[in-house]
Amino acid sequence: MSTKLTRRELAKIGLGLGAAAALGRNAFAQAPAFFRIGTGGTAGTYYPVGGLIANAVSNPPQLVLTAQASNGSVANVNSIVSGALESGFTQADVAYWAYTGTGLFEGKGKIEDLRLLANLYPESIHLVAAKSANIKSVADLKGKRVSMDEPGSGTLVDARIILSGWGIKESDVKADFLKPNQAAERMRDGGLDAFFFVGGYPTSAITELAATGGGIDLVPLAGPEADAIRKQYSFFAADEIPAGTYKDVGAVKTLAVGAQWVTSAKVPEAVVYEVVKGLWSDKTRAALDAGHAKGKIIRKENALAGAGIPVHPGAERFYKEAGLLKG
């Protein structure tokens, strides 16, 4: 049996379908969007900064951000790939290696869905030594008890680059693989001579150690060895940790990498646009300025600095509107 429909009847059906589609879109727009941020260990810088951003940007019930403690850069990238996280903080070097399938991700395939939300702040490489260990240069680490940070962290990758840059093999040191707060406790108890930490200064684990332990030194990462590392790895920059950042420690020249907030290309453009818009809002600005020393230097004008991976379309839309990207 066949039935011919008049143009008016077809129009009615078309209107009905259009209205249903519009209703569907509106219903989707009103559905809560949950956006998790993988940070780092609770004693580092990622965790408190992530918490400040999550609290300031969240706009329930439509948009709910939560900051989660994690093993750091590499673990966050892997969790974004698996879908366990919508976003995470990572070092610029780790993001670049993941996207290109090089360095730490050599032989593991390219993570081509990785996208940038924002560059946040420089992360300084801290090489912390017990004053009693008399370590004045990276070369003095030979034979010492050194924590390289835990597997899955960007710090471990950079620690290996630093050792290599000074001609030291990992087997030349008594290596341990502890989180910064665990390393600080071990050093306070006399069980560790030095440890690496990559993050924004000041970080609580080192601040507490400098104040309550037997005194610390920050070992400089400068000179021809550091220059050679920067030449080989363009994501490193020269940096300086100012005098007085940690108790009784003078200014120290070191290296730094950018801390970046990254996501997946699979996260909807509309969600990312709202997240990035919220990141650069007056509310978040106030929270960052008041909440953490590193928060003050998270600036919109540096949001795209050192971007070694593509910007997410939702973030791109915001940055174009803000005049930071050309249309």
Side-chain angles (χ1 to χ4, degrees):
M1 178 180 172
S2 66
T3 306
K4 288 188 177 178
L5 298 171
T6 67
R7 190 174 293 175
R8 183 175 290 177
E9 286 168 327
L10 283 168
K12 281 182 181 175
I13 292 172
L15 179 64
L17 291 172
L23 280 170
R25 282 195 299 273
N26 290 337
F28 176 78
Q30 295 304 311
F34 295 98
F35 199 81
R36 293 163 292 187
I37 308 170
T39 60
T42 54
T45 308
Y46 280 1
Y47 184 74
V49 169
L52 287 169
I53 290 173
N55 289 337
V57 176
S58 278
N59 184 25
Q62 280 77 29
L63 184 62
V64 180
L65 275 71
T66 55
Q68 298 185 4
S70 77
N71 284 356
S73 294
V74 177
N76 290 341
V77 169
N78 289 332
S79 292
I80 290 168
V81 173
S82 71
L85 290 171
E86 286 73 41
S87 74
F89 293 165
T90 181
Q91 293 168 201
D93 50 356
V94 174
Y96 173 79
W97 286 330
Y99 181 74
T100 57
T102 58
L104 184 66
F105 288 81
E106 188 80 52
K108 297 179 182 177
K110 300 176 182 179
I111 301 176
E112 294 180 326
D113 277 345
L114 205 60
R115 294 291 182 270
L116 183 71
L117 293 172
N119 181 62
L120 299 175
Y121 57 84
E123 295 195 82
S124 306
I125 302 181
H126 296 65
L127 176 48
V128 184
K131 204 168 268 299
S132 59
N134 199 31
I135 297 168
K136 303 302 178 187
S137 161
V138 177
D140 295 335
L141 292 177
K142 279 191 176 181
K144 302 290 188 182
R145 300 162 298 175
V146 183
S147 176
M148 313 275 284
D149 211 324
E150 61 187 338
S153 70
T155 297
L156 175 55
V157 184
D158 290 337
R160 286 171 171 155
I161 290 173
I162 300 300
L163 289 182
S164 177
W166 265 262
I168 297 175
K169 298 191 293 290
E170 200 169 315
S171 57
D172 291 335
V173 304
K174 296 170 184 171
D176 215 332
F177 305 91
L178 305 169
K179 291 175 187 270
N181 53 337
Q182 293 171 331
E185 287 169 14
R186 183 78 60 86
M187 185 178 285
R188 191 181 288 113
D189 294 340
L192 202 63
D193 298 309
F195 67 91
F196 284 91
F197 170 75
V198 180
Y201 58 76
T203 186
S204 60
I206 301 173
T207 299
E208 290 166 18
L209 177 64
T212 62
I216 64 164
D217 289 318
L218 288 181
V219 181
L221 303 178
E225 296 90 350
D227 293 342
I229 287 171
R230 283 171 52 211
K231 190 172 180 182
Q232 185 177 357
Y233 301 101
S234 59
F235 40 73
F236 282 121
D239 191 29
E240 183 174 294
I241 299 172
T245 300
Y246 303 106
K247 187 182 178 185
D248 298 332
V249 178
V252 178
K253 292 189 182 302
T254 186
L255 297 170
V257 295
Q260 297 184 338
W261 190 6
V262 300
T263 187
S264 168
K266 294 184 175 76
V267 177
E269 181 179 334
V271 173
V272 169
Y273 175 80
E274 291 300 328
V275 167
V276 175
K277 184 179 175 184
L279 171 64
W280 302 119
S281 68
D282 291 343
K283 179 185 176 187
T284 306
R285 174 79 273 140
L288 289 171
D289 286 345
H292 195 279
K294 267 292 173 281
K296 295 181 178 68
I297 60 171
I298 298 175
R299 315 299 301 187
K300 187 165 62 178
E301 54 269 28
N302 299 324
L304 300 172
I309 63 172
V311 180
H312 190 286
E316 195 173 67
R317 180 179 145 205
F318 174 83
Y319 292 128
K320 283 177 179 175
E321 289 176 2
L324 293 170
L325 271 179
K326 291 181 180 175

